[in-house]
Amino acid sequence: MSEPTAPADGGPGRTAASLLLAVGVIVAGLALAVAALLPWAGVTAEFGVLNTELTHAVRGVDDGSGWFVAGAGVISMLLGVLGVVRNWLFTGFAILPGAVAAFSLAMFLTDPQGLADRLDFRIPGLVDVHPSIQYGWFAALLASVLVAAFAAAALLRRR
């Protein structure tokens, strides 16, 4: 275990582990912000006669939930930077935007109008239309969990 270094402002010392956790929050926050730009959902139409499929994708920022996730990613990065520059406690506060991002991702999956049920239809042998969750949603979920995990580890390390 490394020894704490005394910062110039006279605040509590930082260990290499606390700096590593802060950098982890920064990187995961960046991944969270970028994942909001990726495709989150789509509607796929498979045509049996032509043996082809057509997909229309929806990016995260095309919906209000995506903007919350992007904002949570930026705030996580800022808190991670403050954790490196100022105090380890800022790194721990990143658990809040990580939780907001996870909640926004869950809200994205809820469909109050039942649109997914109306888009899901099939004519055997001719066409099969169904909604799907794309890779960007899963990347955002993983990044939000990583932000929360790094932040929780920073908080638990100081108990």
Side-chain angles (χ1 to χ4, degrees), residues 2 30 126 128 139:
S2 62
L30 176 63
L126 291 178
D128 182 15

Side-chain angles (χ1 to χ4, degrees), residues 26-41 58-63 65-74 77 101-102 105 108 133-147:
I26 294 169
V27 172
L30 176 63
L32 187 59
V34 169
L37 302 173
L38 298 174
W40 280 13
V58 176
R59 296 178 312 146
V61 292
D62 293 340
D63 187 62
S65 300
W67 287 104
F68 280 109
V69 170
V74 170
M77 286 189 305
L105 288 162
F108 180 80
I133 301 299
Q134 302 289 327
Y135 64 93
W137 186 88
F138 293 105
L141 181 64
L142 177 63
S144 70
V145 168
L146 286 175
V147 165

Side-chain angles (χ1 to χ4, degrees), residues 73-146:
V74 170
I75 291 170
S76 296
M77 286 189 305
L78 292 174
L79 288 171
V81 168
L82 285 173
V84 169
V85 174
R86 292 281 196 193
N87 193 341
W88 63 269
L89 190 57
F90 288 107
T91 304
F93 285 151
I95 198 166
L96 297 174
V100 166
F103 181 74
S104 295
L105 288 162
M107 290 293 98
F108 180 80
L109 289 183
T110 63
D111 191 19
Q113 292 90 12
L115 185 61
D117 294 334
R118 289 186 295 197
L119 289 177
D120 194 10
F121 68 90
R122 179 181 188 148
I123 301 173
L126 291 178
V127 67
D128 182 15
V129 177
H130 52 85
S132 61
I133 301 299
Q134 302 289 327
Y135 64 93
W137 186 88
F138 293 105
L141 181 64
L142 177 63
S144 70
V145 168
L146 286 175

